[in-house]
Amino acid sequence: MSNEWLDTLVVARREATSRIVVLDLAGPDGTELPEFAPGAHVDVLVDGSGGLVDGSDGLVRQYSLCGPPHERTRYRLAVLAETASRGGSLSMHRLREGDRLRISPPRNRFGVSATARRHLLLAGGIGVTPLLAMAHALEAAGAEYELHYCARSRAEAAFLDELEHHPRVRLHFDDGPDAQRFAVATAIGRPDPDTAIYVCGPGGFMDFVISSALAAGWGADAIHKERFAPTESAEAHKAGGTFTVRLAKSGGEYEVKEGDSVLDVLLAHGVDAPYSCQQGICGECIVRVLAGEPDHRDDILTDRERADGMFTTCSSRALSPTLELDL
Ligand code: FES
């Protein structure tokens, strides 16, 4: 988890839909907030009643920054109320102007491709948030891009005031006329080495878009994705036999049993290991494997990163009796 927290104030709050609240955060003294790249998110420390939390018993949740990245005096978050969640989003909905909120500095593993000349942004529901920041940045850079925003209905779509008549934006409502429905094959078109695809949204939407793009011949490297929820449960991440994790730098050796993650064991032994989401979706816990065979169970690493020895301690395990980490 972040060792460094920023205190912010909620300076604006509006209900974009009946389930989405948009919060603008600023530094308490009006100072500039840290720079962020489009696609970045922050960790937010919330409690059951909303407001600033100082203790470790607060909930930590990740929310994408959806305002223009050049805006340094305020960050914008959009939060969907998820009644089935552990309460983080409902706490965020209870925040009011003037409330304090503690956040981490921005982090990003979902950036804009530096090499693509064209960018296809495909958003499902609240997954529009990181893609909106990307659209702001691409617009400012004069880049070629197209944003497809899919929502169940017009009433459930946020940011329509800024998106509706934008020439680069296509809106798709499940309950709308056939002509505006999301046709994935048309949206992504044929594979093009100069185009990058970015997808964010609910798991089913992401799986549909990604499998459609792969089936159409797009390479996995062209598809950039960010998941808000893991494809496997925490129990599934922690299932499996016992193995030993060896730390190359400190020399520590610890047993990882069924029901524990590598990260659980490292933290229990006082190892200063990085982490944030503990769900295999943020990439904050990534370390390098030096020896042994990993059993990757995350939703963040690409095949290339796995081949390069990257490993998520929060969700992945070992197929070999011992795994040596660069820690
Ligand atoms: S802590 Fe987020 S991927 Fe491991």
Side-chain angles (χ1 to χ4, degrees):
M1 198 170 4
S2 181
N3 294 321
E4 192 188 344
W5 294 97
L6 306 169
D7 289 342
T8 64
L9 273 182
V10 178
V11 293
R13 178 192 188 280
R14 74 182 167 91
E15 288 176 11
T17 73
S18 61
R19 292 180 63 209
I20 298 175
V21 70
V22 177
L23 302 169
D24 284 358
L25 310 177
D29 50 4
T31 52
E32 284 198 336
L33 294 161
E35 199 173 350
F36 73 95
H41 70 270
V42 291
D43 289 348
V44 174
L45 201 51
V46 290
D47 69 5
S49 59
L52 186 69
V53 174
D54 295 320
S56 58
D57 54 345
L59 304 168
V60 176
R61 295 289 178 270
Q62 289 78 37
Y63 295 104
S64 297
L65 298 174
C66 58
H70 62 261
E71 171 67 81
R72 297 284 301 277
T73 55
R74 54 177 70 189
Y75 287 162
R76 176 164 293 172
L77 312 179
V79 181
L80 174 71
E82 296 185 85
T83 43
S85 78
R86 289 171 289 168
S89 66
L90 299 181
S91 294
M92 294 292 285
H93 271 245
R94 283 193 283 269
L95 288 168
R96 293 290 178 266
E97 281 182 30
D99 281 345
R100 295 183 301 155
L101 193 67
R102 185 162 277 187
I103 65 173
S104 73
R107 305 197 172 103
N108 199 359
R109 279 187 50 84
F110 188 46
V112 172
S113 163
T115 53
R117 287 203 307 235
R118 182 167 164 265
H119 307 267
L120 274 177
L121 315 175
L122 307 176
I126 197 65
V128 74
T129 49
L131 301 181
L132 203 52
M134 288 185 181
H136 282 301
L138 293 165
E139 180 79 25
E144 190 182 343
Y145 76 96
E146 198 168 278
L147 168 62
H148 292 258
Y149 178 18
C150 306
R152 287 208 190 107
S153 66
R154 168 175 289 275
E156 293 186 62
F159 305 111
L160 288 185
D161 49 343
E162 57 184 291
L163 296 178
E164 182 135 51
H165 300 296
H166 196 290
R168 293 191 182 275
V169 176
R170 307 281 175 269
L171 299 174
H172 308 281
F173 303 123
D174 292 352
D175 64 351
D178 285 351
Q180 55 82 66
R181 294 269 173 87
F182 181 56
V184 67
T186 309
I188 60 179
R190 278 204 230 157
D192 170 12
D194 292 327
T195 297
I197 294 176
Y198 307 82
V199 55
C200 188
F205 172 83
M206 294 192 61
D207 293 343
F208 170 63
V209 171
I210 292 167
S211 61
S212 301
L214 293 173
W218 289 82
D221 286 354
I223 305 168
H224 306 252
K225 56 186 190 288
E226 179 161 87
R227 289 187 187 270
F228 290 153
T231 50
E232 289 192 344
S233 65
E235 291 72 31
H237 285 157
K238 296 179 181 184
T242 300
F243 59 96
T244 299
V245 65
R246 182 189 306 138
L247 307 189
K249 288 179 183 149
S250 68
E253 270 195 29
Y254 312 110
E255 250 190 8
V256 182
K257 297 191 174 127
E258 166 126 32
D260 283 332
S261 67
V262 172
L263 180 65
D264 291 338
V265 171
L266 296 179
L267 296 177
H269 287 88
V271 177
D272 185 20
Y275 70 97
S276 176
C277 72
Q278 300 188 66
Q279 296 180 295
I281 55 175
C282 78
E284 198 60 27
C285 66
I286 291 171
V287 296
R288 194 168 288 280
V289 171
L290 300 177
E293 191 181 353
D295 177 5
H296 294 290
R297 301 182 184 188
D298 63 274
D299 290 300
I300 184 88
L301 292 174
T302 62
D303 290 346
R304 184 171 299 175
E305 288 171 328
R306 289 177 179 183
D308 282 348
M310 292 188 180
F311 176 83
T312 56
T313 61
C314 72
S315 52
S316 296
R317 303 182 72 80
L319 293 171
S320 51
T322 302
L323 206 59
E324 185 172 271
L325 301 180
D326 189 14
L327 273 175

